[in-house]
Amino acid sequence: MFRIFRESGVGDQQARYHGNAGAAFNQMRMEFPHFSPLQEKNLSKGGRMGVYSHVAVILSRERLVYHVLSYVMGIGFRFVRLIWTMKRRIVGYDVIKSIAMFFVVMLHYSFYTRFYSSGLVGTSVTVLRVVCVPLFFAVNGALLLPRAMDEAKHYRKTLNIIIVVTIWRLLAAAFFVFIDGSHPVTVKNLFIFLLGGGFGDYPTGYFWFMNALIAVYLVLPVMKTAFDSERKIVFKALLAVLIGFTVGKDSLRLVLQMVGSVTNHDFASTLNSLNEFYIFGSYGYVLLYFLVGGMVGRYLKQRQQGGSDVNRHPVFGISSGKACIGIFVCYVLTLLIQRYQHAAHGTNLTVENGYWLLPTFIATVLILLVLGRARIQGFWAKTFQVIGMNTFGVYMLHLAGLVLLSRLQSLPWFQFMGNLNSIAVTLLNIVLCGCVFAACLAVSVLLRKIPYIGRLFAL
């Protein structure tokens, strides 16, 4: 076994000492049987160092194979995890967030840009957007409530959201002061803005959404306890209170207003005193959509896992065709409500209390059901996933984009829009809104990849 060491002048004691090297060399002889006796002899004359060099070759090759296999297996595990994640992911939620975000941009477009038609055609588009905010909170509830909650982790995330939103407030203040500069502001205005208020006369009202989201997150563990409680009466009682004081009360108020318009009596004001019994304040409807979204999300999760009683609830068992018809009926009713408010109160483009009227509530639930059950794959699934992951970035950037577009529309080569009919100008406005949306999306996608800066675009 140690013949090679004896031929190279190494003694028996040294041969026994270096037995491992000789064994490795014998392994090399077995792997390379084409060595001739002369080659073997010449190789043996290299002595111990020659053997060690070839042993190193063997070990290096084994390490290379090990690293290659580890890399391939790592890719395989990541690929399997990606496939598993995509399989579990409900792409319909990304579609809902994408549509809702475009509706938000379009709603603010009608307020902060020029040449938007306030007639029937323009209003018929803005009425579509009455579901944008309810859909956002419903999707949040569908994503968060059905899953297990770590309270400590949740409040760390809430603190992170507060920090990120505060940074965005500072960035928005800098944009309005140094780029827009159309209104004077003071340090006091800045402090009010950082604490959740407005920023002088600048259009910073869109930050209310983040205020409401933080408010919901602060009480989410309590809502989660009621949502998971085996005593269903707890959750049902909470829903009854929220529905009664938001959707119920204000839908009834609308009916009383219509009756009052016909009889010339003020019946609606009799409901004002009910607010004394309502503890959730102006964000109660937000909490309602969050909880109802959680119910739909739990149903969709059970449906995805093949639960046997997923269609037990009559609303959840509705077919997609009937749901689409219901959504259209709710849209028509909302448009009629807007036309009444326009005739009675001079309301343009928007719907008073539109977020929590009964048609909006029903339409939100039906949209969540239809798109949550939709099967979307391939290119469109990837596209909506990218948009869904960047809706926060688009939301934070879109008003700056609209302010800049408004500046561009004051230039002479945009003045032709003032001479277009309502249909043409509305279609062109939709295209321009799409351009703002796409530009904000591109900026969000690019900046999201930059270390540290990317944290401002992901919650």
Side-chain angles (χ1 to χ4, degrees):
M1 178 177 180
F2 304 112
R3 177 173 58 85
I4 182 68
F5 293 99
R6 294 191 182 97
E7 290 181 357
S8 61
V10 180
D12 292 341
Q13 184 176 1
Q14 290 176 319
R16 286 192 299 271
Y17 181 75
H18 297 291
N20 291 335
F25 178 67
N26 285 335
Q27 179 185 353
M28 187 173 65
R29 289 177 59 192
M30 295 175 62
E31 294 184 3
F32 299 96
H34 56 276
F35 281 171
S36 65
L38 179 61
Q39 289 173 321
E40 183 177 325
K41 183 177 181 179
N42 291 335
L43 179 63
S44 67
K45 289 181 180 180
R48 181 173 59 186
M49 297 306 298
V51 172
Y52 285 167
S53 65
H54 286 281
V55 170
V57 170
I58 295 174
L59 296 179
S60 298
R61 186 180 60 188
E62 291 177 349
R63 283 196 298 268
L64 177 62
V65 172
Y66 169 78
H67 288 301
V68 169
L69 288 177
S70 299
Y71 180 74
V72 172
M73 291 177 66
I75 293 177
F77 282 129
R78 284 193 294 269
F79 179 75
V80 171
R81 185 172 61 181
L82 176 63
I83 296 298
W84 176 250
T85 302
M86 289 298 294
K87 183 178 180 181
R88 296 175 60 194
R89 185 182 186 90
I90 299 179
V91 183
Y93 291 160
D94 292 318
V95 179
I96 293 172
K97 290 194 292 183
S98 302
I99 295 174
M101 190 66 250
F102 182 79
F103 282 173
V104 169
V105 177
M106 194 69 194
L107 179 63
H108 293 163
Y109 180 98
S110 64
F111 295 151
Y112 300 120
T113 59
R114 305 166 186 264
F115 309 118
Y116 193 89
S117 174
S118 59
L120 180 60
V121 176
T123 302
S124 64
V125 175
T126 57
V127 166
L128 282 172
R129 299 172 310 221
V130 75
V131 296
C132 59
V133 169
L135 283 176
F136 266 123
F137 283 103
V139 168
N140 267 275
L143 289 170
L144 294 179
L145 285 176
R147 67 175 63 168
M149 173 179 288
D150 182 339
E151 287 78 7
K153 184 178 179 180
H154 167 74
Y155 280 118
R156 286 196 297 270
K157 179 181 178 181
T158 304
L159 178 61
N160 178 70
I161 293 175
I162 294 173
I163 294 173
V164 170
V165 171
T166 301
I167 295 174
W168 274 109
R169 290 182 187 275
L170 292 172
L171 293 174
F175 171 82
F176 287 119
V177 170
F178 298 110
I179 297 179
D180 188 318
S182 57
H183 303 287
V185 289
T186 64
V187 176
K188 179 181 178 181
N189 294 132
L190 179 60
F191 276 104
I192 293 174
F193 183 42
L194 293 178
L195 292 176
F199 189 50
D201 294 327
Y202 285 111
T204 57
Y206 65 101
F207 274 97
W208 81 266
F209 176 85
M210 300 311 304
N211 297 343
L213 184 65
I214 292 171
V216 171
Y217 274 37
L218 289 175
V219 298
L220 180 56
V222 180
M223 300 299 110
K224 174 66 171 172
T225 301
F227 183 80
D228 292 338
S229 176
E230 295 182 358
R231 300 177 60 198
K232 301 302 181 183
I233 186 64
V234 176
F235 185 70
K236 291 180 179 179
L238 178 61
L239 279 182
V241 170
L242 290 172
I243 292 175
F245 281 94
T246 56
V247 175
K249 179 174 68 69
D250 284 286
S251 296
L252 179 59
R253 181 194 301 276
L254 176 65
V255 173
L256 294 178
Q257 286 176 347
M258 292 179 177
V259 174
S261 298
V262 175
T263 61
N264 293 322
H265 289 83
D266 181 13
F267 297 111
S269 61
T270 58
L271 299 178
N272 293 339
S273 57
L274 290 177
N275 293 330
E276 299 295 327
F277 303 97
Y278 187 52
I279 196 172
F280 293 104
S282 59
Y283 289 155
Y285 77 96
V286 167
L287 195 58
L288 171 64
Y289 284 115
F290 194 89
L291 295 177
V292 172
M295 295 176 61
V296 177
R298 180 164 55 190
Y299 152 74
L300 293 174
K301 185 177 181 180
Q302 293 173 349
R303 184 176 184 270
Q304 191 179 44
Q305 296 173 350
S308 58
D309 59 344
V310 293
N311 293 325
R312 182 176 59 184
H313 198 286
V315 175
F316 294 160
I318 190 173
S319 66
S320 296
K322 293 180 179 179
C324 290
I325 294 174
I327 293 169
F328 177 75
V329 171
C330 290
Y331 165 73
V332 173
L333 289 175
T334 305
L335 181 60
L336 292 176
I337 291 171
Q338 200 287 328
R339 298 323 294 169
Y340 158 74
Q341 292 177 345
H342 173 74
H345 311 126
T347 305
N348 289 319
L349 299 178
T350 61
V351 181
E352 294 178 4
N353 301 326
Y355 291 155
W356 53 89
L357 293 180
L358 185 59
T360 305
F361 178 77
I362 296 175
T364 300
V365 175
L366 294 178
I367 292 172
L368 197 61
L369 281 171
V370 170
L371 293 180
R373 294 184 300 200
R375 294 185 177 181
I376 304 171
Q377 298 177 347
F379 169 78
W380 288 110
K382 292 285 187 181
T383 301
F384 284 117
Q385 182 178 351
V386 171
I387 299 175
M389 292 172 59
N390 287 275
T391 50
F392 175 70
V394 174
Y395 188 80
M396 290 292 102
L397 294 170
H398 80 281
L399 202 69
L402 294 177
V403 170
L404 295 176
L405 177 62
S406 179
R407 293 288 185 90
L408 290 176
Q409 287 180 331
S410 64
L411 299 176
W413 40 285
F414 265 105
Q415 299 307 308
F416 75 95
M417 294 182 64
N419 300 322
L420 298 177
N421 60 52
S422 59
I423 298 177
V425 74
T426 299
L427 293 176
L428 183 55
N429 281 326
I430 294 174
V431 173
L432 291 176
C433 178
C435 293
V436 174
F437 181 89
C440 295
L441 176 63
V443 172
S444 178
V445 170
L446 292 175
L447 295 182
R448 190 185 176 99
K449 298 179 180 180
I450 301 176
Y452 300 107
I453 295 178
R455 296 181 181 179
L456 297 176
F457 294 86
L459 289 183

